[in-house]
Amino acid sequence: MKKEKVVRTSMYAAVLIFLILFLVFSVLAAVTFGNADLSLKDVYSVILYKLFHIKSLAAYGEGAIHDVVWLIRLPRVLLALAIGMALSVCGVVMQAIVQNPLADPYVLGISSGASAGAIMLGIGSFLGGNSVGICAFIGAMLTSFAVIAIANMGGKATSAKLILAGMAISAVCSAFSNFVIYITNDKNAATEVMKWNMGSLAGASWARVSAMMPVTLVCVLLFLTQYRSLNLMLLGDEVSITLGTDLHRLRTVYLVVASVMIGFAVYCAGVIGFVGLVIPHVVRILFGTDHSRLIPLGALLGASFLIWCDVACRVILKNSEMPLGVLVSIIGAPCFIYLLVKKSYGFGGRK
């Protein structure tokens, strides 16, 4: 038994190191892809100059090549890293909160709430050019608080009540969004919202990276410190009560923190599904349900996954771009169906 534990620990350490190195490779490789035909020398010369201000590379400090690499490609790759990490970890946390393997960051109606917020573009126009994103963020947060409030009516919130409240709120928000799109006379606004619902990193910028990255890292580290409570949530409220832990309070706190990450992700890239649904399952198959391992591995794998999905979106269609949310769904849906029909797999890993 002890030998088996040592082997599993060694395997975990090896996989963790591999995923870290693969993530670094993914960032360095992804920045070389795009419609503009740039050499590896040009790409890395721009990055080296901006990071270390090497005088011999001063020519790369401005111009078209500099703008493509430093202002378009690199922020996009880093934003994909942060959002992929956020969605994966939120998926892990949501599945623990509601004790449901079908849960993902949008199971509690957060996605529909964000879309409903984006629909209110006209109301939020005073917020400036980022009005769609800001309204989507506000919608996601308000939806989360509404789900918590409804689930706490008539007693403390449980996993079942959270799921039902999320389904109800999601239905209301979706109906509202569809109704507004149907009656609107502004075709451009409707088109903008539809693109928002498909998800994209085309609007990536250093400003969005500087907003998304710190939020993701802080929240992921916070959840990593809470791995014992997340493990306990999988055992149920009855077991936690006997152990003297108040899951009701923790469930609410975790939901709010996860909603902050999702709100920022929606603000930066729109609605992207399946990342938080499939990635946690893949990690569980290999390493079980211990969140001390599940969270870091899921974060690294989710970040790399979304980076390469975005690369594919940029190169699949010539002189055009495929919506990121569409491609992720095309990849994620078959993977999830496979996990559902795989008899040797259960919510807690292998049976």
Side-chain angles (χ1 to χ4, degrees):
M1 189 70 179
K2 185 176 181 180
K3 183 178 180 180
E4 181 180 352
K5 184 177 181 180
V6 171
V7 171
R8 289 185 64 85
T9 301
S10 300
M11 181 180 176
Y12 164 72
V15 172
L16 184 65
I17 294 172
F18 169 78
L19 287 178
I20 292 173
L21 295 176
F22 181 70
L23 181 57
V24 173
F25 164 78
S26 298
V27 172
L28 295 177
V31 78
T32 65
F33 289 89
N35 289 322
D37 187 15
L38 302 180
S39 67
L40 294 178
K41 177 179 179 295
D42 289 338
V43 171
Y44 294 125
S45 293
V46 170
I47 296 175
L48 288 173
Y49 175 76
K50 296 298 291 187
L51 293 179
F52 304 107
H53 299 286
I54 301 174
K55 292 183 178 180
S56 60
L57 301 176
Y60 291 95
E62 58 183 3
I65 296 177
H66 166 272
D67 293 345
V68 170
V69 175
W70 189 255
L71 300 181
I72 298 176
R73 289 188 184 178
L74 188 57
R76 183 166 182 156
V77 172
L78 295 179
L79 190 61
L81 183 156
I83 292 176
M85 188 175 292
L87 293 178
S88 299
V89 173
C90 282
V92 171
V93 174
M94 290 290 183
Q95 289 168 11
I97 288 175
V98 301
Q99 298 173 268
N100 191 324
L102 300 179
D104 75 343
Y106 305 109
V107 71
L108 300 182
I110 300 175
S111 174
S112 298
S115 298
I119 292 289
M120 299 174 68
L121 174 61
I123 299 175
S125 60
F126 68 91
L127 296 172
N130 290 325
S131 56
V132 176
I134 294 173
C135 288
F137 171 76
I138 294 173
M141 291 301 299
L142 291 178
T143 300
S144 301
F145 291 132
V147 169
I148 293 172
I150 294 173
N152 279 284
M153 290 181 178
K156 291 184 176 181
T158 62
S159 57
K161 290 173 70 177
L162 283 170
I163 293 175
L164 293 175
M167 292 175 63
I169 293 294
S170 178
V172 171
C173 290
S174 296
F176 172 76
S177 300
N178 292 332
F179 175 72
V180 173
I181 291 175
Y182 179 75
I183 66 173
T184 185
N185 292 322
D186 189 346
K187 293 184 179 180
N188 291 330
T191 302
E192 181 72 15
V193 171
M194 290 182 66
K195 290 181 179 179
W196 192 264
N197 288 333
M198 293 181 185
S200 175
L201 292 172
S205 64
W206 283 111
R208 293 190 175 184
V209 172
S210 62
M212 186 73 217
M213 188 68 76
V215 170
T216 297
L217 294 178
V218 170
C219 292
V220 169
L221 290 175
L222 175 62
F223 283 130
L224 190 55
T225 64
Q226 301 296 308
Y227 72 92
R228 290 187 178 88
S229 297
L230 290 168
N231 289 342
L232 189 58
M233 284 185 178
L234 297 181
L235 302 177
D237 291 81
E238 295 80 7
V239 175
S240 68
I241 292 174
T242 62
L243 296 176
T245 302
D246 183 9
L247 288 186
H248 165 68
R249 182 179 61 83
L250 291 175
R251 190 178 282 118
T252 301
V253 172
Y254 295 165
L255 181 58
V256 170
V257 175
S259 298
V260 170
M261 274 204 288
I262 296 303
F264 273 90
V266 169
Y267 161 69
C268 292
V271 178
I272 303 172
F274 278 105
V275 177
L277 190 63
V278 174
I279 298 299
H281 281 295
V282 173
V283 179
R284 278 195 189 92
I285 290 175
L286 298 174
F287 293 98
T289 59
D290 185 358
H291 286 84
S292 65
R293 299 181 177 184
L294 185 56
I295 290 175
L297 293 180
L300 293 170
L301 184 60
S304 298
F305 173 74
L306 202 64
I307 286 174
W308 286 108
C309 284
D310 183 57
V311 168
C313 287
R314 284 183 273 155
V315 301
I316 286 178
L317 302 178
K318 188 175 182 180
N319 298 323
S320 184
E321 183 177 317
M322 187 175 184
L324 181 59
V326 173
L327 179 63
V328 171
S329 296
I330 292 174
I331 297 173
C335 293
F336 187 61
I337 292 173
Y338 170 76
L339 291 173
L340 286 176
V341 300
K342 187 176 175 60
K343 295 182 179 180
S344 62
Y345 177 73
F347 180 43
R350 293 192 177 279
K351 291 183 178 179

